[in-house]
């Protein structure tokens, strides 16, 4: 069946500027004209009718909205039990599952083994070097760090092969074979790319390692690259640990990195394990959520009501470790990534902490904004805005208008207490090109 898109009443934004919504009360359902879809939960919304206020803005597409105060009072609601594609906002569920499974201080381990003896006189390992791990954040700078640590052990040359374990990845590349080749090149200063050197320099500068910048770590691998496990006779050389999970999540969610989300999702058991956790821990109903990917690519489904439970669950999980949403989510107008160009006025900057989602083609164009806002009245409002079947850039502007309207109805925006951090990994363009080719990406307002 062809999915025709019609003009729909879109937002509660203008309504919030009027007096129709009393603070803390449920908004009356807004009439929504929906396209003919093979989606029973969307078609069911056609049955809801009420007088349409003339001041409601219109948006071409479908929309679900739920905004609540911390105590659960409803500020705004629209199609809260209809299922939408949350796009990358599903990463909030992935982050919650990872935090519940591992805790915020968890570090992913990469182990390095040797299958031969080390000649300290020549700096040669007479045998193979084996690298094993599933660190989703393993990048150029970490490979150069391995070279430095091997140099400190007296190793500068590997006479044998570089063996990487199945599942090892580097630079957000799913291919273990290509990742192994990138590792070999990054270890060896004669093969090391400009990008690898820049990543190393940036990280060492960030941590004020001036001594490290005066050295050039290098390990030459004379053999080829193979995929395999460490042989029984191999001896452990060193262990490399990633950044803390909470820091990895901050980078992942600021840049909405799909690769890292999928890898972390895999470590907790995949999409169905994430869904099962949500059903059990948050008491979400089975028909409220469907997860096909832990990154948000493809077809996922969630109701605004269920997404609100995920957001609240994430806040509570972080609170147990004296953390807040801003420790893992981008702060609008301050942090780099998907929210750096939104809410950038002097009064709005820093007042919104949220996860974006964008799929330019899937479901006719899907966009979302899920997070929290602060107002001058002292109230923090949690919000979920899900859109489908329309222009994603217009959806984004409309989402911003809804947030601004809610803030203005409560005295205006106020910034959260937040000290910006410098992100070590530069992921803004890491998988942007490939995602853009699929039209599954986070566009910026200036594009």
């Amino acid at each position: 069946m062809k999915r025709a898109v019609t003009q729909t009443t879109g937002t509660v934004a203008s309504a919030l500027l009027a007096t129709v919504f009393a603070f803390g009360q449920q908004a009356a359902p807004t009439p929504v004209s929906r396209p003919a879809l093979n989606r029973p939960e969307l078609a069911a919304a056609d049955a809801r009718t009420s007088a349409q206020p003339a001041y409601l803005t219109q948006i071409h597409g479908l929309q679900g909205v739920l905004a609540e105060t911390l105590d659960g009072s409803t500020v705004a609601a629209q199609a809260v039990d209809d299922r939408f594609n949350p796009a990358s906002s599903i990463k909030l569920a992935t982050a919650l599952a990872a935090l519940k499974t591992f805790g915020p201080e968890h570090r992913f381990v990469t182990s390095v083994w040797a299958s031969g003896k080390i000649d300290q006189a020549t700096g040669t390992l007479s045998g193979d070097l084996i690298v094993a791990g599933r660190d989703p954040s393993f990048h150029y700078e970490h490979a150069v760090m391995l070279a430095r640590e091997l140099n400190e052990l007296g190793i500068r040359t590997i006479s044998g092969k570089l063996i990487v374990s199945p599942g090892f990845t580097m630079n957000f590349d799913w291919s273990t074979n290509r990742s192994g080749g990138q590792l070999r090149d990054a270890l060896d200063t004669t093969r090391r790319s400009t990008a690898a050197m820049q990543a190393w320099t940036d990280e060492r500068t960030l941590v004020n390692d001036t001594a490290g910048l005066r050295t050039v770590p290098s390990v030459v691998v004379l053999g080829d690259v193979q995929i395999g496990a460490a042989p029984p006779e191999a001896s452990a050389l060193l262990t490399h640990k990633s950044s803390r999970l909470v820091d990895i999540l901050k980078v992942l969610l600021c840049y909405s990195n799909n690769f890292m989300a999928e890898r972390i999702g895999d470590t907790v058991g995949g999409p169905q394990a994430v869904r099962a956790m949500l059903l059990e821990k948050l008491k979400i109903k089975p028909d409220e959520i469907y997860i096909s990917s832990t990154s948000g690519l493809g077809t996922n489904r969630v109701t605004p009501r269920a997404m609100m439970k995920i957001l609240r669950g994430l806040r509570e999980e972080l609170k147990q470790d004296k953390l807040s949403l801003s420790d893992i989510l981008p702060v609008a107008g301050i942090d780099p990534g998907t929210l750096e160009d939104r809410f950038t006025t002097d009064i709005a900057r820093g007042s919104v902490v949220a996860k974006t989602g964008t799929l330019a083609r899937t479901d006719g164009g899907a966009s979302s904004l899920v997070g929290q806002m602060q107002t001058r009245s002292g109230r923090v409002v949690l919000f979920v805005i899900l859109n489908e079947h329309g222009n994603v850039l217009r959806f984004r502007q409309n989402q911003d208008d809804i947030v601004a309207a809610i803030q203005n109805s409560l005295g205006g925006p106020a910034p959260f207490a937040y000290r910006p951090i410098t992100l070590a990994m530069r992921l803004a363009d890491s998988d942007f090109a490939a995602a853009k080719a699929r039209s599954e990406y986070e566009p910026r307002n200036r594009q």
Side-chain angles (χ1 to χ4, degrees):
M1 179 183 297
K2 184 178 180 181
R3 297 187 174 189
V5 179
T6 61
Q7 195 77 2
T8 70
T9 58
T11 77
V12 294
S14 295
L16 282 163
L17 293 174
T19 58
V20 67
F21 290 156
F23 179 77
Q25 294 180 341
Q26 176 80 24
T30 305
V32 179
S33 174
R34 297 182 181 275
L37 301 175
N38 293 321
R39 299 268 297 280
E41 73 279 2
L42 294 183
D46 288 334
R48 295 199 295 268
T49 59
S50 64
Q52 176 180 343
Y55 46 73
L56 274 179
T57 60
Q58 291 197 343
I59 186 169
H60 192 70
L62 309 179
Q63 179 164 277
V65 177
L66 181 58
E68 298 177 344
T69 58
L70 294 181
D71 64 6
S73 298
T74 301
V75 177
Q78 180 181 14
V80 296
D81 293 313
D82 293 348
R83 292 186 297 176
F84 296 83
N85 192 328
S88 283
S89 289
I90 204 66
K91 290 182 174 77
L92 297 177
T94 305
L96 176 57
L99 288 169
K100 281 188 172 294
T101 302
F102 302 115
E105 297 297 317
H106 175 77
R107 297 175 187 266
F108 296 95
V109 173
T110 300
S111 300
V112 181
W113 302 71
S115 66
K117 294 183 178 181
I118 302 172
D119 185 338
Q120 294 289 347
T122 63
T124 301
L125 167 62
S126 299
D128 300 329
L129 185 72
I130 303 98
V131 178
R134 290 176 172 268
D135 178 2
S137 65
F138 197 88
H139 199 244
Y140 283 127
E141 60 270 26
H142 307 125
V144 181
M145 176 59 77
L146 286 187
R148 186 169 88 168
E149 292 172 335
L150 288 169
N151 288 168
E152 291 173 351
L153 293 175
I155 301 172
R156 294 190 172 276
T157 303
I158 311 297
S159 67
K161 302 180 292 292
L162 171 62
I163 301 174
V164 293
S165 65
F168 172 81
T169 56
M170 176 174 165
N171 294 341
F172 323 114
D173 190 329
W174 283 104
S175 169
T176 297
N177 190 51
R178 285 196 301 269
S179 294
Q182 293 180 72
L183 175 59
R184 176 197 59 194
D185 292 350
L187 289 172
D188 185 349
T189 188
T190 65
R191 292 174 174 265
R192 192 172 297 150
S193 66
T194 302
M197 280 303 304
Q198 188 63 54
W200 169 252
T201 301
D202 289 346
E203 194 211 23
R204 291 298 93 195
T205 301
L206 179 67
V207 298
N208 296 317
D209 181 14
T210 55
L213 290 173
R214 290 195 291 267
T215 64
V216 183
S218 183
V219 174
V220 178
V221 179
L222 299 179
D224 58 5
V225 177
Q226 292 186 4
I227 301 173
E233 69 275 10
S235 57
L237 288 178
L238 60 92
T239 298
H240 171 82
K241 293 185 178 181
S242 72
S243 299
R244 300 178 305 159
L245 176 61
V246 65
D247 298 323
I248 290 175
L249 290 176
K250 179 72 173 184
V251 176
L252 185 167
L253 294 169
C254 276
Y255 292 115
S256 200
N257 187 280
N258 294 322
F259 174 88
M260 294 174 73
E262 292 287 348
R263 290 285 287 176
I264 290 177
D266 287 345
T267 65
V268 299
Q272 296 314 306
V274 173
R275 180 176 181 270
M277 179 276 296
L278 297 174
L279 299 184
E280 177 187 357
K281 301 296 185 181
L282 304 184
K283 307 305 177 185
I284 293 175
K285 298 177 182 178
D287 61 352
E288 287 186 298
I289 188 166
Y290 167 76
I291 303 178
S292 65
S293 74
T294 54
S295 65
L297 293 176
T299 304
N300 296 284
R301 294 285 181 260
V302 67
T303 66
R305 194 184 302 278
M307 183 58 80
M308 180 62 74
K309 289 182 180 179
I310 293 171
L311 180 63
R312 286 185 177 277
L314 187 57
R315 285 184 93 254
E316 290 304 310
E317 186 67 26
L318 290 164
K319 188 177 180 180
Q320 292 179 18
D321 292 287
K322 299 181 179 180
L323 298 170
S324 66
L325 287 178
S326 62
D327 287 303
I328 65 170
L329 287 175
V331 178
I334 296 178
D335 284 328
T338 59
L339 278 184
E340 64 181 298
D341 297 325
R342 298 173 73 171
F343 305 100
T344 56
T345 63
D346 290 341
I347 61 172
R349 184 178 293 111
S351 68
V352 176
V353 181
K355 181 70 194 79
T356 62
T358 306
L359 294 171
R361 294 182 181 177
T362 305
D363 286 310
S367 180
S368 62
L369 187 65
V370 179
Q372 65 181 18
M373 67 183 88
Q374 184 155 264
T375 67
R376 288 185 182 177
S377 66
R379 293 186 177 99
V380 173
V381 177
L382 308 180
F383 64 90
V384 174
I385 308 173
L386 306 177
N387 294 103
E388 284 184 12
H389 291 275
N391 183 288
V392 295
L393 293 178
R394 291 178 181 174
F395 283 153
R396 284 158 56 92
Q397 184 58 57
N398 190 64
Q399 292 158 6
D400 293 357
D401 290 344
I402 292 174
V403 170
I406 293 174
Q407 289 179 314
N408 290 335
S409 73
L410 299 174
F416 286 97
Y418 176 65
R419 185 177 66 180
I421 62 173
T422 303
L423 302 179
M425 290 183 289
R426 297 172 178 265
L427 303 186
D429 300 315
S430 63
D431 62 349
F432 178 80
K436 189 172 182 180
R438 299 188 301 268
S439 293
E440 313 289 1
Y441 65 102
E442 299 279 359
R444 293 185 179 181
N445 289 338
R446 62 172 174 264
Q447 288 185 324

